[in-house]
Amino acid sequence: MITNETEVKVRYQETDQMGVVYHANYFVWFEIGRTHLIEDLGFRYADMEEEGIVSPVVDIEAKYKRPLRYGQVATVKTYIKEYDGFRVVYGYEVYTDDGTLAVTGSSSHVCVKKSNFRPISIKKHFPDWHKAYEQAVGEADGVRN
């Protein structure tokens, strides 16, 4: 599978009273990784939106294993975990700066018409994206930065 690695420096405002990254910030980091992965595949969300299509989150989860703290650098690894032509499930792994796994997660997305929120087939409406997603799921251990 193709994987994107994005570094995120933990900013002070991303931490909570305990001095660790506030849990919701990982979802922002997931989005950063997802956007970079899509760009690695040669596409942009903005182009899709110009055609009146958006890709909302329909499910998201995170499992917290180790804390990250202000000043550390996190590495967000993002990949396409599942894809069926309609739904895309992205997988995420967030590592501390010493390589320790801190968080795992996933988010599920569908593409819908912005005007009425009715789902569309990625395979039918965006055949280039479809092909790239199928290849990204099928390729073994490629890493793109």
Side-chain angles (χ1 to χ4, degrees):
M1 86 185 80
I2 293 174
T3 303
N4 173 276
E5 293 186 15
T6 300
E7 288 188 349
V8 177
K9 187 171 183 179
V10 178
R11 297 172 298 173
Y12 181 79
Q13 67 268 28
E14 293 172 317
T15 61
D16 61 17
Q17 189 173 12
M18 296 176 285
V20 300
V21 173
Y22 178 68
H23 68 276
N25 286 308
Y26 290 102
F27 293 147
V28 174
W29 297 356
F30 290 178
E31 182 177 350
I32 292 168
R34 183 172 64 250
T35 300
H36 287 172
L37 175 63
I38 289 167
E39 290 170 354
D40 284 352
L41 294 173
F43 306 101
R44 295 177 341 118
Y45 267 134
D47 293 339
M48 182 184 283
E49 290 178 359
E50 286 176 8
E51 294 189 37
I53 305 298
V54 293
S55 182
V57 174
V58 295
D59 188 39
I60 193 163
E61 70 173 20
K63 295 182 180 173
Y64 307 98
K65 300 174 181 308
R66 297 275 188 263
L68 277 152
R69 299 180 188 286
Y70 170 66
Q72 288 186 299
V73 176
T75 300
V76 181
K77 293 185 180 181
T78 308
Y79 56 94
I80 298 173
K81 189 174 177 179
E82 299 173 28
Y83 172 67
D84 66 8
F86 283 95
R87 179 182 303 257
V88 183
V89 180
Y90 297 92
Y92 310 95
E93 297 173 354
V94 181
Y95 292 87
T96 64
D97 44 12
D98 69 359
T100 303
L101 182 62
V103 176
T104 61
S106 66
S107 63
S108 299
H109 303 254
V110 295
C111 288
V112 299
K113 292 182 181 180
K114 189 174 183 178
S115 62
N116 59 16
F117 254 65
R118 294 206 174 173
I120 60 121
S121 164
I122 298 169
K123 182 178 180 177
K124 179 179 175 184
H125 286 74
F126 298 101
D128 292 341
W129 283 53
H130 170 74
K131 183 178 178 181
Y133 275 32
E134 283 193 325
Q135 288 176 344
V137 171
E139 290 187 21
D141 297 321
V143 175
R144 293 189 172 189
N145 291 317

